[in-house]
Amino acid sequence: MSETKNPEEQSTARNMHLASLLTYPFMLIPGIGAWGAALVALISPLLISISNRKSNYVKEQALEAGFFQVLLSLLFFAMSSALPADGALNTLLKILGYAGIGIYHLGNLLWATISTSYGKDFKHLFSPFRFIRKKQKEFYEEKQILSGMDEVTKSVYGDTMKNATMRLLEIANISVQIQDIAVKNKVAEMIASMQGILEEFKKDPKDVVNSRHFVNYSLDSMKKIISKYVDISSKVTPDKEMQETLSKVLPVLETMHTAIEAHKKKLLEDDVRELDAEMKVMEKTIEMGGF
């Protein structure tokens, strides 16, 4: 993903998106149709991209402009195929459909024009390149982070980061169901703290070797406790034992959060050797809570 401050690149990218307006005069060509006109208009951003191969920004915006023309063509084709040509109602629906596509088209062009005029990294809403470029960026960032590391550290780093990211996403999805504001806020704080630890790993991957057990244990415990809390709290009439369990969740989470913050502090101080204390306190608290 790239941005630019070069006025020439900004102008070129803007013109590529505006070239989509050629779709409408091309519609006047007999027999070409709206969907065909959108595909013909695709030629313009392709030619501009070919003539500006050295600019990553222009190439990325050419892909976005090209994708949008293909999407526009599919929308026009679907509209022309969805309804038969005869009938007043069908004609009215087609007019409304084409008008809706036109409004969507012009709205996207306005958005793209403003973004590229400032050299911003513009992406259409349904663009597959949004996901692709994000993955590419993550890949190159990780490659740069691990450059010069031994194979063991690379393997441990990759596995730990992948597992931690997956667990955090699962915990965040489960936490949506939490009704108690205090518990919900505490979970959000814990997620933020753990994300802070992962950011520190990116700065110094060697820390992962000493920290992976702490991180994996903390995340697995968080998921287990929060899942149990959500399951019990969803009961219509929780019994006395269930209520006691619910009352223990927040103190346990607070203790875990304290341990996570202490661990993050050690990472910031570049001292991750003395981890036993935090682990023992956390494990004991979780056991006493019955989790």
Side-chain angles (χ1 to χ4, degrees):
M1 291 180 280
S2 58
E3 297 186 353
T4 184
K5 294 182 179 180
N6 186 316
E8 184 177 347
E9 291 183 346
Q10 293 172 0
S11 176
T12 301
R14 181 173 61 249
N15 290 337
M16 275 196 304
H17 288 288
L18 289 175
S20 180
L21 292 172
L22 293 173
T23 299
Y24 299 104
F26 284 146
M27 285 183 184
L28 301 177
I29 300 175
I32 193 172
W35 68 272
L39 286 182
V40 173
L42 174 61
I43 296 173
S44 180
L46 290 178
L47 292 176
I48 296 174
S49 174
I50 292 171
S51 62
N52 291 268
R53 292 180 179 177
K54 293 182 179 180
S55 170
N56 287 330
Y57 181 75
V58 172
K59 285 191 294 185
E60 289 182 2
Q61 293 308 306
L63 289 173
E64 291 297 333
F67 158 76
F68 188 69
Q69 285 305 116
V70 173
L71 176 62
L72 196 63
S73 177
L74 291 174
L75 290 174
F76 280 134
F77 180 78
M79 183 55 59
S80 63
S81 303
L83 298 170
D86 58 331
L89 179 59
N90 288 338
T91 301
L92 176 60
L93 290 175
K94 278 194 173 184
I95 292 173
L96 292 175
Y98 281 121
I101 294 172
I103 293 171
Y104 171 70
H105 183 194
L106 295 176
N108 271 269
L109 283 189
L110 178 61
W111 182 20
T113 300
I114 294 173
S115 296
T116 51
S117 294
Y118 290 97
K120 300 297 182 181
D121 178 39
F122 173 77
K123 297 178 290 293
H124 285 287
L125 181 61
F126 303 108
S127 171
F129 302 112
R130 178 191 300 266
F131 176 78
I132 293 171
R133 293 208 290 266
K134 180 182 178 182
K135 287 299 180 182
Q136 286 179 334
K137 182 181 179 182
E138 291 174 352
F139 172 78
Y140 286 116
E141 283 181 349
E142 183 170 315
K143 188 176 180 180
Q144 185 176 12
I145 288 170
L146 296 177
S147 59
M149 295 289 111
D150 60 87
E151 292 302 318
V152 174
T153 302
K154 288 181 180 180
S155 177
V156 171
Y157 177 88
D159 291 343
T160 303
M161 294 295 284
K162 182 179 179 180
N163 178 69
T165 302
M166 181 178 66
R167 285 286 180 269
L168 283 174
L169 181 60
E170 291 171 348
I171 291 168
N173 289 336
I174 296 170
S175 68
V176 174
Q177 305 173 59
I178 298 175
Q179 299 298 320
D180 188 289
I181 299 299
V183 175
K184 194 167 191 172
N185 288 342
K186 179 53 62 178
V187 173
E189 290 174 4
M190 294 172 73
I191 291 174
S193 295
M194 192 59 73
Q195 287 173 334
I197 288 178
L198 298 186
E199 287 301 314
E200 290 304 313
F201 287 166
K202 292 179 181 180
K203 296 176 183 177
D204 190 356
K206 295 189 296 296
D207 286 343
V208 178
V209 176
N210 291 324
S211 300
R212 57 178 170 167
H213 178 60
F214 177 88
V215 170
N216 290 334
Y217 178 80
S218 299
L219 289 173
D220 288 343
S221 299
M222 282 173 63
K223 183 183 176 183
K224 179 181 177 182
I225 293 169
I226 296 166
S227 296
K228 188 172 182 179
Y229 175 84
V230 169
D231 182 57
I232 294 175
S233 59
S234 64
K235 305 294 183 184
V236 178
T237 55
D239 55 31
K240 184 178 180 181
E241 183 179 348
M242 289 181 177
Q243 290 175 342
E244 289 179 356
T245 300
L246 291 176
S247 66
K248 294 177 182 177
V249 168
L250 186 57
V252 170
L253 293 180
E254 287 174 342
T255 301
M256 291 179 67
H257 187 212
T258 300
I260 293 170
E261 279 293 306
H263 187 83
K264 186 170 72 171
K265 184 178 179 181
K266 287 185 181 295
L267 290 175
L268 291 171
E269 296 172 349
D270 199 24
D271 182 11
V272 293
R273 290 170 297 179
E274 299 177 2
L275 304 176
D276 290 344
E278 290 90 342
M279 283 293 299
K280 288 179 180 178
V281 170
M282 186 187 295
E283 289 173 350
K284 186 175 180 180
T285 302
I286 292 172
E287 289 175 3
M288 290 177 64
F291 300 103

